[in-house]
Amino acid sequence: MYRYNLTLIVFCILVMLGYGNEITVCKSGCDTDSIQYAIDVSMPGDKVIVKKGIYKEKILLDKPVSLIGEDYPIIDGELKYQNITVKNVYGFKIIGFDIRNSGMSYVDDIAGLKIEESGNCEISNNKFYNNFFALYLASVYNCKLIGNRIIGQAKSEGSSGNGIHIWNSKNIYVFNNYVKGHRDGIYFEFVLDSKIENNFSEKNLRYGLHFMFSDNDVYINNTFKNNGAGVAVMYSKNIKMYKNKYIYNRGPANYGLLLKEIVNSELKENLFYKNTIGVYMEDSNRSYFERNTFKENGSAVRLLANCENNVFKKNNFINNIFDVTTNSRQNYGNVLSENYWSSYEGFDLNKDGFGDLPYKPVTLSSYLFEKYPPLFILLKSFFMYLLDLSERVVPTLTPTTLSDDKPSLKVIK
């Protein structure tokens, strides 16, 4: 922290003394034709303006200058090396470049742009094509990643890196980026107090967004579509998930959202649409779900018996094959209340807007299909209807306490 403060003070003094010149780079008629040479001769606070063209350079940024591209100059790694490395720099920007064709290495995690042990930065409006890792941050603080377009060519999880990869960092703002074709679209590991907003992540091999050991983060208004699985939040706490869309994440064992060993999280106003499983919860406790919509999923919520004290209140469950499934008759403090269930067949004699009979979303058929998958051929049959009806009247295999005692008769808005 002392080093960071000292660097920031020096940077401010240099700016006050009049530093902040521009150095132009192009193939002819500019100050130089080399981006690296422009950086080497620049002073802290300078701008390096790079004109349109193709630059086959291995660039090291080691001082607080800003790299500004005009008409998306291409920095080509020729499938051999890391295009841009930033290390121990506080106060810089990289804007408007086309960064493509990085090398590949499982030892060094080569990226199109790698930033290490740095801070106070902005990486915006860049294009990343065909890189191993595209944008990689390690031990970075106070950085904004805005409006970048990131497209990979991943063929298998083992031979590809992530689109936006952030490790051991704090106060990172990831806003309005598009990520496609990587292993994970966005990856957080040991990332604290950060925000992911308004991003679109699709067709990534594993997850659209992946949290590991990251606390006190927020992701809001993002779309995760057609990924191996939408989002995985694992071994984390105090994660807020608001107004996201998890759609078309489908496959034999896929889901819109995986929650594994997390605590004290909030999920509000999210949409889970046409996923194999909307939310899969394993050993996750004290999460609060409100005003989410689960529509046309295979299973809306898969709640394993090792999950405790989670609350589902005022959510919509609309036309899912199964609303809630579980693997045990035990229920440890999980509460369902005031949700709308399109499958509810009760009535409201006192006209208070809630059904007079409890709704039990865990059906006998879901239990049997899990035990004996070939029985799925009997889905929607009259025989299964009778079994489910009898189970609701006299539960024998499904948890008796996992029911909504106050089901809403109107869609929650």
Side-chain angles (χ1 to χ4, degrees), residues 47-51 66-70 73 93-97:
K47 289 182 181 177
V48 173
I49 308 296
V50 183
K51 306 290 186 179
S66 293
L67 302 182
I68 310 298
E70 291 186 354
K93 298 178 181 179
I94 298 176
I95 299 173
F97 287 90

Side-chain angles (χ1 to χ4, degrees), residues 263-327:
V263 295
N264 296 336
S265 293
E266 285 187 356
L267 297 96
K268 295 182 178 179
E269 300 183 56
N270 299 285
L271 171 65
F272 299 86
Y273 179 64
K274 286 189 179 294
N275 303 285
T276 303
I277 299 175
V279 176
Y280 184 99
M281 298 180 65
E282 180 178 340
D283 199 11
S284 294
N285 306 313
R286 302 191 299 277
S287 290
Y288 183 78
F289 294 74
E290 183 180 305
R291 297 185 187 279
N292 302 286
T293 294
F294 301 87
K295 186 175 182 180
E296 299 181 22
N297 301 282
S299 295
V301 175
R302 176 83 170 127
L303 184 67
L304 300 192
N306 56 6
C307 298
E308 300 181 10
N309 300 313
N310 300 286
V311 175
F312 293 81
K313 187 173 183 179
K314 295 183 178 178
N315 302 283
N316 293 306
F317 292 82
I318 301 172
N319 297 334
N320 303 290
I321 295 177
F322 302 115
D323 290 323
V324 178
T325 60
T326 185
N327 61 341

Side-chain angles (χ1 to χ4, degrees), residues 315 317 323-324 336 338-344 359 361 404 407-408:
N315 302 283
F317 292 82
D323 290 323
V324 178
L336 308 173
E338 301 181 35
N339 300 288
Y340 171 77
W341 310 89
S342 61
S343 299
Y344 182 65
Y359 179 69
D404 190 338
S408 174

Side-chain angles (χ1 to χ4, degrees), residues 1 118-121 137-144 166-173 188-195 214-217:
M1 182 58 72
S118 300
N120 287 357
C121 56
L137 277 62
S139 300
V140 174
Y141 306 90
N142 304 326
C143 192
K144 299 176 181 177
I166 306 176
W167 176 79
N168 188 35
S169 297
K170 187 174 182 180
N171 292 332
I172 309 298
Y173 184 41
F188 269 34
E189 184 173 0
F190 299 106
V191 180
L192 306 177
D193 304 319
S194 296
K195 187 174 186 180
S214 297
D215 301 334
N216 305 319
D217 298 316

Side-chain angles (χ1 to χ4, degrees), residues 21 23 37-44 46-48 61 63 65:
N21 296 318
I23 302 171
Y37 178 79
I39 294 171
D40 292 342
V41 300
S42 66
M43 298 292 292
D46 283 354
K47 289 182 181 177
V48 173
L61 180 64
K63 63 184 70 169
V65 301

Side-chain angles (χ1 to χ4, degrees), residues 56-125:
K56 297 181 178 180
E57 299 186 56
K58 186 177 180 181
I59 297 168
L60 172 64
L61 180 64
D62 57 358
K63 63 184 70 169
V65 301
S66 293
L67 302 182
I68 310 298
E70 291 186 354
D71 298 324
Y72 291 103
I74 296 172
I75 300 177
D76 190 344
E78 302 181 274
L79 303 176
K80 299 176 182 175
Y81 46 81
Q82 185 159 281
N83 306 41
I84 304 177
T85 303
V86 182
K87 196 160 187 178
N88 294 316
V89 182
Y90 297 89
F92 68 96
K93 298 178 181 179
I94 298 176
I95 299 173
F97 287 90
D98 181 328
I99 301 168
R100 60 176 60 193
N101 300 332
S102 75
M104 175 180 173
S105 168
Y106 296 107
V107 176
D108 299 326
D109 286 348
I110 285 178
L113 168 58
K114 180 180 281 187
I115 304 170
E116 299 178 273
E117 299 175 358
S118 300
N120 287 357
C121 56
E122 177 185 332
I123 311 300
S124 61
N125 297 319

